[in-house]
Amino acid sequence: MSDDSGLWLLALGPAGATALYWALYRYYRNTDKSHAFERETAVEAQPVTGSDGKVDEIKGTRASRISGENGGAYRMRVQRTPTDDG
Amino acid sequence: MSDQKTPAPTAPVTGPGSPQDVPPVPGSLPIDPATRPEPIRDELLAPDPVAIDTAAAELKDGLNRCPKCGATEIRPKPGTDLLVCLYCRNEWDGARVEEAFGFGEGLDQLRGTVIASGARDIAADAASLMTFKCTACGAEVTVNTENAMTARCHWCRHVFGVNEQIANGAVPDAVLPFHIKKDDAVARIRQFVDKRRLFALKAFKEQFTPENVVGVYLPYMIVDGNASADVAGKGEIKTREYTRGTGNDKKTYYDADIYQVDRHVDFTVDDLPLESSTERGNLDTRVNTNNIINTILPFDTKNAVKWNASYLMGFTSEKRNQDVEHLRPRLEDQLLSIARAQVESSVRRYDRGVRWEQERLDVHGTRWVSMYLPVWLYSYHQPGRNGGLLHYIAVNGRTGETMGSVPVQQWKLLMAALTVGTVLEGIALWIVAASS
Ligand SMILES: [Zn+2]
Ligand SMILES: [Zn+2]
């Protein structure tokens, strides 16, 4: 038996049980729901402006995505830089 | 002033009381007015000027009279924005605040903090009980503003409503009347629960009586804002993808370019609703299910009418206990989230994604209107540790949007999960055994 003989299959039982438990629990309790104000509020925005500059390169990483990706996590706050006009 | 010899003391440049000091909370006073001479005290205690006065002068005595016959027996007409007189059947509707006060206009011109009169700070010492002197018979009629806005004179049957805004901040600027009728709400709640019976708590199913649903007016601040936001971070673009090794040691590698990404967006928001009661605004799902009530937002707040307590006849209400300054951090948090959603489409070229590291918000102007919004609430108290948990099923009184929290029979759900897990594990063992 090589180390990739399919032993990972043994995780199928616990993983399946956990996934089913949480899916059903959420369906009943809806703890993950809230008002999607980002989509459901009337927002009028001017065209987005900005800049992009290459600063570095990575060679031979095994990660398929950037580390700490949060482009879609709108509600995850990052460091807040102070405003000067109060 | 030319012969002035001693110049007035100048304000310090740094330290306490200077512009470098942290500004005081708006509305707070550094001195105690009670210890000052009367003219100074009057000035300090005078109410702050209000940009938009939404108080209705004709309702100040608490009596809302039918414009046709003068009766005070007035009810909201179910499913409409109309009021109806129970004596002469005359129907009329309240003025929409949107037009009456120009709330939809000039968002990009908003500067500073504009507060409608019903959204002013709540007087800390104001009692919940308000007393009116009945003009017809002289009796005193008391209304408890914690949960009701109307009461009836026991002697002459006049109906009184709390319409005076300066009283204690309990009276909002506007109210959005119920459109979804009780039968409709009951049907929606029943349907919601019917789809969640298998693993529902046994006691919940036994006691389930959606007819006990209650129509409640919940307090919200409806906020318009004019803001700018900046975000900065890193984005990565894949330049190469290749594999190394053979057979089971084959692994995928990536090369990528890293960019510094900066974005700026100017935007306005129209009618963002914020819960203005501390309890409802607490969305911690470990201790409550208020997120259910939050989920049925938004409402068609553009159709809200000027405050008139007659709209609350037959419903209960909850009182606001949060002022504008309490809610400002939540508003800023939501404005930042909206800004992040706005810039997302501008960073699509970063196919390995972006990592925002800094964000910044400039709020140029906000406008705050206090409003009662209509919600049908069915509640079930699940006993347990720390007082148990109150589960809600909520129906939006305008759109009918329904969301709920149904208590789960924990062991039943665990059994189902374990059974499925065991079956899956059996299949896995069979495959592993067969392939070795
Ligand atoms: Zn009438
Ligand atoms: Zn009376």
Side-chain angles (χ1 to χ4, degrees):
Chain A
M1 247 165 90
S2 73
D3 67 330
D4 205 17
S5 62
L7 280 177
W8 60 271
L9 272 170
L10 296 180
L12 202 61
T18 310
L20 181 75
Y21 180 88
W22 282 112
L24 283 172
Y25 184 83
R26 288 238 170 91
Y27 180 66
Y28 276 67
R29 296 272 282 102
N30 290 298
T31 48
D32 54 335
K33 301 289 193 304
S34 69
H35 170 40
F37 55 85
E38 295 95 340
R39 295 191 301 274
E40 295 183 325
T41 304
V43 175
E44 261 185 58
Q46 301 297 312
V48 175
T49 57
S51 62
D52 308 73
K54 188 175 160 183
V55 289
D56 205 355
E57 296 180 4
I58 327 175
K59 295 281 182 208
T61 176
R62 292 199 57 204
S64 63
R65 303 290 295 177
I66 192 170
S67 75
E69 182 178 10
N70 58 12
Y74 314 137
R75 296 187 189 179
M76 192 186 291
R77 294 277 72 86
V78 296
Q79 185 194 37
R80 178 106 173 247
T81 47
T83 50
D84 32 43
D85 66 0
Chain B
M1 285 298 191
S2 56
D3 61 347
Q4 188 182 10
K5 293 190 181 77
T6 41
T10 49
V13 181
T14 57
S18 76
Q20 304 302 314
D21 198 13
V22 177
V25 177
S28 67
L29 281 175
I31 49 175
D32 181 8
T35 64
R36 305 291 138 175
E38 198 175 330
I40 298 175
R41 188 169 70 217
D42 288 348
E43 183 162 290
L44 289 173
L45 292 179
D48 291 330
V50 181
I52 308 160
D53 186 6
T54 62
E58 69 276 15
L59 297 175
K60 283 247 156 77
D61 63 354
L63 290 168
N64 181 29
R65 293 183 180 277
C66 166
K68 210 164 152 194
C69 75
T72 61
E73 197 82 354
I74 293 158
R75 289 272 188 289
K77 189 180 181 187
T80 72
D81 295 346
L82 298 169
L83 293 174
V84 55
C85 170
L86 297 188
Y87 276 101
C88 72
R89 293 281 142 197
N90 179 34
E91 292 178 1
W92 68 100
D93 66 349
R96 297 210 317 169
V97 287
E98 186 76 3
E99 285 84 20
F101 303 113
F103 283 154
E105 296 153 24
L107 297 186
D108 54 346
Q109 307 301 318
L110 270 181
R111 291 291 181 276
T113 305
V114 181
I115 301 176
S117 51
R120 280 176 299 185
D121 289 358
I122 295 166
D125 55 348
S128 315
L129 298 177
M130 285 194 65
T131 305
F132 295 92
K133 200 166 185 73
C134 179
T135 47
C137 70
E140 300 225 311
V141 182
T142 301
V143 183
N144 184 351
T145 61
E146 287 291 344
N147 47 39
M149 285 292 176
T150 54
R152 182 194 286 279
C153 171
H154 297 299
W155 306 101
C156 70
R157 304 185 59 76
H158 267 319
V159 177
F160 288 82
V162 181
N163 289 306
E164 202 178 358
Q165 284 178 335
I166 50 166
N168 54 6
V171 174
D173 297 297
V175 54
L176 190 60
F178 273 88
H179 268 195
I180 298 291
K181 296 179 192 171
K182 185 176 178 180
D183 291 350
D184 191 355
V186 169
R188 287 167 196 267
I189 293 167
R190 194 180 291 286
Q191 187 187 20
F192 186 90
V193 170
D194 277 346
K195 291 167 73 178
R196 292 165 181 80
R197 283 195 167 271
L198 203 52
F199 299 106
L201 196 69
K202 191 157 166 268
F204 171 83
K205 283 190 284 189
E206 284 168 359
Q207 295 166 29
F208 180 59
T209 39
E211 292 74 20
N212 291 349
V213 68
V214 186
V216 188
Y217 279 103
L218 296 180
Y220 287 82
M221 286 283 190
I222 307 301
V223 192
D224 295 335
N226 173 19
S228 302
D230 290 276
V231 283
K234 300 286 188 296
E236 289 183 9
I237 298 178
K238 186 172 74 179
T239 50
R240 223 176 123 219
E241 178 176 341
Y242 46 94
T243 51
R244 282 196 188 129
T246 49
N248 287 332
D249 285 330
K250 209 153 105 179
K251 293 190 172 75
T252 306
Y253 293 84
Y254 306 91
D255 291 354
D257 287 345
I258 304 177
Y259 285 78
Q260 172 67 36
V261 187
D262 298 297
R263 290 291 180 270
H264 175 91
V265 62
D266 301 311
F267 63 102
T268 62
V269 296
D270 192 0
D271 281 11
L272 194 66
L274 300 177
E275 285 91 0
S276 57
S277 106
T278 314
E279 193 197 344
R280 297 299 173 207
N282 175 4
L283 303 186
D284 184 348
T285 54
R286 288 166 303 177
V287 294
N288 65 49
T289 65
N290 284 324
N291 72 302
I292 296 302
I293 305 173
N294 177 265
T295 305
I296 63 166
L297 292 170
F299 285 77
D300 55 333
T301 42
K302 295 283 168 213
N303 293 318
V305 296
K306 276 180 77 169
W307 172 258
N308 183 328
S310 299
Y311 279 108
L312 272 64
M313 288 297 292
F315 300 103
T316 63
S317 56
E318 279 185 10
K319 200 169 146 183
R320 170 169 77 89
N321 63 359
Q322 295 264 287
D323 293 330
V324 168
E325 291 311 318
H326 297 135
L327 294 169
R328 210 182 279 277
R330 263 195 57 219
L331 173 70
E332 293 192 356
D333 190 59
Q334 297 202 355
L335 289 177
L336 279 168
S337 300
I338 287 171
R340 290 263 295 274
Q342 290 294 321
V343 302
E344 190 183 22
S345 62
S346 75
V347 294
R348 289 271 150 77
R349 60 184 288 232
Y350 298 102
D351 55 6
R352 284 171 55 83
V354 292
R355 176 182 66 245
W356 297 120
E357 291 161 345
Q358 281 110 32
E359 59 192 357
R360 172 191 148 121
L361 179 73
D362 292 89
V363 180
H364 310 302
T366 51
R367 177 166 54 207
W368 303 71
V369 175
S370 170
M371 200 180 284
Y372 263 2
L373 298 180
V375 180
W376 288 104
L377 278 184
Y378 178 75
S379 57
Y380 171 79
H381 181 257
Q382 179 183 15
R385 269 169 296 157
N386 300 323
L389 190 62
L390 194 58
H391 293 267
Y392 288 113
I393 300 170
V395 180
N396 182 314
R398 299 287 291 195
T399 64
E401 183 177 353
T402 305
M403 185 45 68
S405 166
V406 173
V408 172
Q409 192 90 58
Q410 224 40 268
W411 67 265
K412 230 175 167 183
L413 187 51
L414 272 171
M415 285 300 289
L418 287 176
T419 308
V420 170
T422 307
V423 171
L424 285 174
E425 193 66 12
I427 297 171
L429 281 170
W430 182 79
I431 295 174
V432 170
S435 65
S436 60

